[in-house]
Amino acid sequence: MRIHVSRRIPARALTSLRATGWDIFVGPDEIPNKKRFVWAAGGCNGLLSLLTETVDAEVMDACPDLKVISQCATGVNNVDLEEAKKRGIVVCHTPGVLAETCADFTWALMLGVARRLVEGDRMMREGNYPGWGPLMLMGTDLYGSTLGLVGMGEIAQAVARRANGFGMKVLYWSRSESSGGVRVDSLEELLGRSDVVSLHVPLTEETRHLIDAKRLGQMKTTAFLINTSRGPVVDERALSQALDSEVIAGAALDVFENEPQVYPGLLSSSKVLLTPHIASSSLATRERMAQLAVDNLVAVLRGEEPAHRAI
């Protein structure tokens, strides 16, 4: 068997993959360009990919004996699922291992933007701290406020559990019922009632630019927007304009429309906290994700049913 791992993953998972005795080729640390990726993957029987690689017909054409695409991620929107299904290629992913880690990070973003931590850190590092003052960098209390969750999957439910400790009222907008809060009938209602809006939806044609200028205008002027889901769920240009016009109070983003690029207006705004797609980036979680991706890949190539199959 020839296996291509598109980028380097945690060492423990790679060691277990190499223990199969198969021919393993590991890509670079950085995001490979498409030409290099297609060349490196060529002829492989198993592909272990990440969200940063587009796995489309061109890639599959280069791998006529490809049996499995094992995604080291929960989402699979970078994989052409219809093309894979047409060719009989199994696609796997790694759900159920990052919910608590991402929920922790979502709270880090909420607290960071509400209490203006980045501004305070910058003030100290740049030597601009004049001494304590009663009006300096006044933030917003989360305790006792209303949290609105767009989507109510595993991560959102974990975020909701943490809200109990902050005495927050939790609202959610979702197709499915949950015991984690109060379900509202419309996104407009959720946006209008929430002090913090946190996004937890997959990227689909329905959710692309779900939060646009109109939706931002439905939020409270004192509210914060948090996105740890997928970048294109938010119209970054509209968000930048909303922040400049004080339509909302602030935002915290871990994902972006055109990663690794960020809309310039967001980079220059003091009202937005930006992090480089690291919500699931704890050592334990990344190791679990990588190992699950390896286990899924190995299972398919050995003729077994993988633990987590997308198609």
Side-chain angles (χ1 to χ4, degrees):
M1 294 289 180
R2 185 178 188 278
I3 311 300
H4 179 56
V5 180
S6 62
R7 297 175 67 186
R8 192 164 63 90
I9 59 174
R12 187 176 301 177
L14 275 179
T15 297
S16 69
L17 181 58
R18 289 188 171 110
T20 61
W22 297 336
D23 182 16
I24 312 298
F25 182 83
V26 180
D29 288 349
E30 68 275 7
I31 300 173
N33 63 46
K34 186 64 178 293
K35 184 177 181 180
R36 178 189 173 119
F37 176 50
V38 172
W39 169 80
C44 70
N45 307 105
L47 172 62
L48 195 155
S49 56
L50 291 94
L51 280 173
T52 47
E53 288 77 63
T54 298
V55 186
D56 55 14
E58 182 183 1
V59 176
M60 297 178 205
D61 284 344
C63 310
D65 297 317
L66 186 62
K67 305 297 182 187
V68 56
I69 300 165
S70 185
Q71 181 91 334
C72 188
T74 299
V76 290
N77 48 283
N78 60 308
V79 179
D80 187 334
L81 297 180
E82 288 301 317
E83 191 66 31
K85 186 175 182 180
K86 183 169 68 177
R87 299 173 187 238
I89 300 169
V90 176
V91 178
C92 304
H93 60 150
T94 59
V97 296
L98 50 71
E100 301 299 337
T101 299
C102 287
D104 280 353
F105 193 81
T106 300
W107 271 94
L109 293 183
M110 282 195 272
L111 288 164
V113 69
R115 297 304 302 273
R116 304 175 68 175
L117 296 187
V118 173
E119 292 172 83
D121 180 82
R122 186 180 300 117
M123 176 186 287
M124 299 301 294
R125 293 179 187 277
E126 293 178 353
N128 295 325
Y129 175 45
W132 183 87
L135 303 181
M136 182 186 298
L137 291 179
M138 290 188 292
T140 301
D141 289 327
L142 293 184
Y143 187 86
S145 63
T146 298
L147 171 63
L149 299 171
V150 180
M152 201 57 171
E154 288 185 342
I155 297 173
Q157 291 173 40
V159 170
R161 288 194 296 273
R162 287 156 175 76
N164 293 330
F166 281 77
M168 297 181 81
K169 181 175 183 178
V170 178
L171 307 177
Y172 71 94
W173 180 67
S174 175
R175 292 176 179 174
S176 56
E177 293 277 358
S178 173
S179 60
V182 177
R183 188 182 186 190
V184 298
D185 294 329
S186 68
L187 179 56
E188 181 179 0
E189 179 183 357
L190 181 136
L191 295 175
R193 294 174 59 185
S194 301
D195 299 300
V196 180
V197 175
S198 187
L199 306 178
H200 301 280
V201 291
L203 178 61
T204 66
E205 287 309 306
E206 287 181 314
T207 63
R208 185 177 296 275
H209 281 193
L210 178 68
I211 304 301
D212 56 11
K214 177 183 176 181
R215 295 301 188 189
L216 289 163
Q218 293 168 348
M219 293 174 63
K220 295 180 180 181
T221 57
T222 54
F224 299 97
L225 177 70
I226 313 296
N227 189 14
T228 56
S229 60
R230 289 291 179 263
V233 173
V234 176
D235 181 338
E236 289 185 6
R237 181 177 182 178
L239 175 59
S240 177
Q241 292 172 347
L243 292 169
D244 288 345
S245 304
E246 299 185 347
V247 173
I248 64 172
L253 310 176
D254 185 52
V255 287
F256 306 93
E257 275 194 80
N258 300 295
E259 292 185 22
Q261 285 75 38
V262 182
Y263 186 75
L266 296 177
L267 289 172
S268 60
S269 174
S270 63
K271 297 178 181 178
V272 59
L273 191 166
L274 307 171
T275 55
H277 203 149
I278 54 173
S280 66
S281 188
S282 75
L283 177 61
T285 293
R286 288 287 170 87
E287 285 187 340
R288 286 196 298 269
M289 290 173 66
Q291 189 59 57
L292 183 53
V294 167
D295 291 345
N296 285 333
L297 182 144
V298 171
V300 173
L301 292 180
R302 286 178 172 167
E304 303 166 0
E305 184 63 24
H308 295 286
R309 178 173 180 155
I311 62 166

